[in-house]
Amino acid sequence: MADDIAIGIDLGTSYSCVSVVHEGQPTVIPNEWGETTHASCVSFLEEGSVLVGNAAKKNIITSPENTVYSAKRLIGRYYFSDEVKKAQAVMPYRIVEGDNNSVRIGVRERSYSLPEISALVLKEMKAVAETYLGREVHKAVITVPAYFNDNQRQATKDAGRIAGLEVLRILNEPTAAALAYGFGRDVNQRVVVYDLGGGTFDVSILEIGKDVFEVLATAGDTYLGGDDFDDRIMTWMADDFLNRTRLDLRQNKYCLQMLKDAAEKAKIDVGQNGTADILCQGICQDANGNVMDLRNTLNQDQFNRMVMDLVQRTFKVCDEALQSARLTAADIDAVILVGGPTRLPIIRNSVKHYFQKEPLEGINPDQVVAMGAALQSHALLDSKTETFLVDVTPLTLRIGTVGGYTEKIIDKNTPVPIDRSKTFTTSRDGQEKVKIRVYQGESNRAEECEMLGEFEFSGFRIGYRGEVKIEVTFEINTDGLVNVSACDVETGQKTSTTITLSSGMTEADIQQSIQSNRNTRLAGHNSSDLPAVAN
């Protein structure tokens, strides 16, 4: 194995997976119990240690207020966003407000930022890889939904740093899946990656040639996934129980967790067997103190009716991606399914109907993203690997203008890296600084876009209104992250830039979190006792 090593991590909403290139092949890494997918679940134990993964998921029922899951849906979001309000209504753990409108999780007398929570999942993936490889790992490629905005990407990168990883690249999940699919094949195809995970949905269209992977278009919905399918089953079970007993299970967070656990199991059973027998023993007591069970049966037709509108939402996103790429479904050569929910017959059948072709078989939807991330991490370390990857920015970059409107700077689906410059002038005599608000989104209304930050430029020559010209350069790098710089056109002097109203972490926050993460003990791991390399 090479002197230097890097891993690929699929940091999922529901489950995460880690992979490495071993003897030229991407290999998904199991933990000591042979598990290759690990619940993206963090449980804070009473004695101070932290349990992460499938063992932590069991604590969702027994210690719901101290067990955090589906955190990826909240990462990089503002506290005032609709998505955070939705999560507060159903999550058993406390979602509280932090500095700069950020979101924090309150657990056991402490509050954690979302990057800190994700860092604990990444630390677990790092530990799984180190145990398997028998050596320390410091470098990784981490995947994100293609439709993640700058705040969400930066927060994910921060999580990697807090976990003790040098993040070589933030890679879009569908692009990673296409890399794994194209590996070792001499194909020349136009492929669609339909990626339905636990919390997010993405679709990307790629042109794959010999060692060239070019993303033509991408589209997505960062609040649509398997969790929403579970929620439909939960609502159905709770409504039926209410009608029969006049007891509303949703009023108790313990009951709610039992419902969620049963709903996820029912979804899987319906997908595999066409029917699900549901039993929640001792879910509550009636007014007389009698212990009650919840029993029900869910069949395929009922389930399909429950979720059909969610499935249709995915195809509106597919329409958008095809239109951006100026293609039709008939122009697609192959369809790759990614994410656990794509195992459901309703998804597979609907995808087949929409694209008029069978989705590819033989690709593990839970592992393909991590394998592609590992291939990319290996390529970034090995100069002999000749893979040319061209990705795109999923969202339009905009600046705020007068009256609450925005102006386009860089269109969505523009190949990255990319930079564009725009010249501004001062708006009043003697002006010492200029404020520019930067947004991502598809609306010309500022309120309908995501605000990345308010950039303040100073240090330019002071003059009359309209006399001083300032050139502002907007750059989107290969990670999809936005950088802004500015200079005085007349003097060539670069001006200082500061950002406010960012839900992101400051460098001081990150350093403090890195130290705290180092001191956090993961239950079930002893990082100082690494075994020999696994075969």
Side-chain angles (χ1 to χ4, degrees):
M1 207 168 271
D3 287 339
D4 213 352
I5 194 165
I7 54 176
I9 301 174
D10 172 11
L11 178 62
T13 305
S14 302
Y15 290 90
S16 293
C17 185
V18 59
S19 178
V20 69
V21 173
H22 184 54
E23 296 179 352
Q25 294 293 320
T27 305
V28 173
I29 300 175
N31 63 13
E32 49 262 62
W33 300 282
E35 297 164 332
T36 54
T37 55
H38 317 273
S40 300
C41 195
V42 180
S43 186
F44 294 85
L45 306 183
E46 200 169 352
E47 93 290 353
S49 67
V50 176
L51 198 59
V52 181
N54 300 329
K57 190 173 181 186
K58 295 169 186 169
N59 287 3
I60 290 175
I61 299 294
T62 57
S63 184
E65 69 281 2
N66 300 311
T67 304
V68 183
Y69 59 92
S70 292
K72 182 174 169 180
R73 281 191 150 183
L74 301 174
I75 197 166
R77 294 193 187 276
Y78 291 113
Y79 184 75
F80 52 73
S81 67
D82 289 341
E83 291 82 1
V84 171
K85 291 190 184 98
K86 281 184 208 168
Q88 282 175 316
V90 297
M91 292 304 181
Y93 50 84
R94 285 188 302 122
I95 300 168
V96 297
E97 186 173 5
D99 294 340
N100 296 327
N101 305 288
S102 64
V103 181
R104 294 183 76 88
I105 307 295
V107 188
R108 293 198 186 276
E109 311 305 317
R110 223 199 111 180
S111 83
Y112 296 83
S113 68
L114 268 302
E116 286 177 293
I117 299 290
S118 291
L120 290 166
V121 178
L122 292 172
K123 187 177 183 179
E124 174 77 9
M125 297 303 98
K126 182 176 184 281
V128 166
E130 288 176 338
T131 301
Y132 177 86
L133 297 166
R135 55 177 292 183
E136 291 190 353
V137 174
H138 299 290
K139 296 180 178 179
V141 166
I142 301 173
T143 62
V144 295
Y147 222 57
F148 257 22
N149 64 38
D150 180 84
N151 289 337
Q152 293 167 307
R153 288 167 191 271
Q154 188 61 61
T156 305
K157 198 165 190 176
D158 291 345
R161 285 182 63 197
I162 295 165
L165 290 165
E166 178 190 341
V167 182
L168 299 177
R169 184 162 181 181
I170 295 291
L171 183 64
N172 290 338
E173 289 161 9
T175 307
L179 284 172
Y181 165 70
F183 176 70
R185 302 177 193 229
D186 189 12
V187 295
N188 198 329
Q189 289 182 331
R190 210 174 267 149
V191 303
V192 158
V193 180
Y194 179 102
D195 182 355
L196 183 63
T200 60
F201 175 68
D202 283 313
V203 63
S204 288
I205 303 167
L206 296 95
E207 192 95 58
I208 302 178
K210 182 164 174 55
D211 300 325
V212 177
F213 294 77
E214 183 181 359
V215 180
L216 303 178
T218 195
D221 185 331
T222 55
Y223 216 95
L224 172 63
D227 285 0
D228 300 297
F229 288 60
D230 298 347
D231 289 347
R232 292 295 171 84
I233 301 174
M234 282 173 66
T235 300
W236 169 74
M237 288 192 297
D239 286 347
D240 182 69
F241 194 79
L242 179 64
N243 289 337
R244 285 190 285 112
T245 67
R246 296 192 176 179
L247 295 171
D248 189 353
L249 297 170
R250 284 162 292 207
Q251 300 306 310
N252 182 304
K253 291 204 169 177
Y254 176 80
C255 299
L256 207 56
Q257 284 316 302
M258 287 188 74
L259 278 177
K260 180 157 184 63
D261 203 43
E264 186 183 1
K265 186 177 181 301
K267 175 184 70 179
I268 293 166
D269 288 348
V270 164
Q272 289 175 346
N273 310 319
T275 186
D277 292 319
I278 300 164
L279 171 62
C280 295
Q281 284 185 309
I283 194 165
C284 68
Q285 292 181 332
D286 64 16
N288 301 318
N290 299 314
V291 175
M292 304 188 72
D293 298 339
L294 180 150
R295 296 174 187 271
N296 225 318
T297 302
L298 178 65
N299 65 43
Q300 188 84 60
D301 287 342
Q302 285 172 296
F303 175 69
N304 289 356
R305 284 196 298 274
M306 270 180 216
V307 302
M308 184 50 82
D309 65 307
L310 297 174
V311 177
Q312 291 303 325
R313 267 173 66 187
T314 71
F315 294 115
K316 286 182 183 166
V317 177
C318 291
D319 288 344
E320 190 185 319
L322 286 168
Q323 284 166 12
S324 290
R326 294 183 175 82
L327 297 170
T328 67
D331 297 317
I332 302 303
D333 299 311
V335 182
I336 302 165
L337 297 182
V338 177
T342 62
R343 287 194 168 92
L344 293 168
I346 186 172
I347 298 293
R348 299 188 83 89
N349 293 335
S350 299
V351 168
K352 177 186 172 184
H353 182 261
Y354 180 90
F355 288 104
Q356 292 297 295
K357 53 183 62 63
E358 288 281 358
L360 290 167
E361 296 289 336
I363 294 171
N364 186 319
D366 298 319
Q367 299 179 354
V368 66
V369 169
M371 291 167 72
L375 287 166
Q376 179 66 10
S377 70
H378 183 70
L380 291 171
L381 287 187
D382 184 1
S383 56
K384 293 185 217 135
T385 305
E386 294 182 9
T387 301
F388 187 59
L389 174 61
V390 180
D391 218 325
V392 297
T393 178
L395 297 156
T396 300
L397 188 68
R398 299 171 171 273
I399 56 160
T401 57
V402 178
Y405 289 91
T406 66
E407 185 179 326
K408 279 187 196 178
I409 297 293
I410 299 174
D411 279 314
K412 70 173 183 175
N413 290 319
T414 299
V416 293
I418 177 77
D419 62 73
R420 292 268 163 82
S421 294
K422 193 163 185 69
T423 302
F424 297 89
T425 62
T426 49
S427 58
R428 64 179 187 273
D429 295 347
Q431 191 168 340
E432 294 181 358
K433 54 191 177 187
V434 174
K435 278 187 179 176
I436 295 167
R437 285 187 169 175
V438 181
Y439 296 87
Q440 271 182 319
E442 305 318 311
S443 172
N444 66 350
R445 297 285 307 172
E447 63 191 18
E448 293 171 9
C449 295
E450 182 82 10
M451 185 174 178
L452 299 186
E454 185 177 82
F455 294 88
E456 189 175 276
F457 302 112
S458 58
F460 48 80
R461 179 174 74 81
I462 312 268
Y464 293 110
R465 171 186 171 182
E467 183 182 272
V468 181
K469 290 187 170 59
I470 300 158
E471 186 178 69
V472 183
T473 300
F474 301 83
E475 176 198 354
I476 302 177
N477 66 16
T478 51
D479 290 331
L481 294 170
V482 178
N483 297 300
V484 180
S485 61
C487 77
D488 184 331
V489 174
E490 186 181 332
T491 64
Q493 180 187 340
K494 293 267 181 182
T495 63
S496 60
T497 69
T498 55
I499 179 170
T500 57
L501 196 77
S502 166
S503 66
M505 302 176 77
T506 65
E507 186 58 31
D509 292 337
I510 292 169
Q511 291 303 326
Q512 189 178 349
S513 297
I514 288 171
Q515 195 54 51
S516 174
N517 187 276
R518 281 194 193 121
N519 297 333
T520 301
R521 185 167 57 86
L522 293 182
H525 287 286
N526 184 355
S527 58
S528 63
D529 183 20
L530 295 174
V533 177
N535 293 317

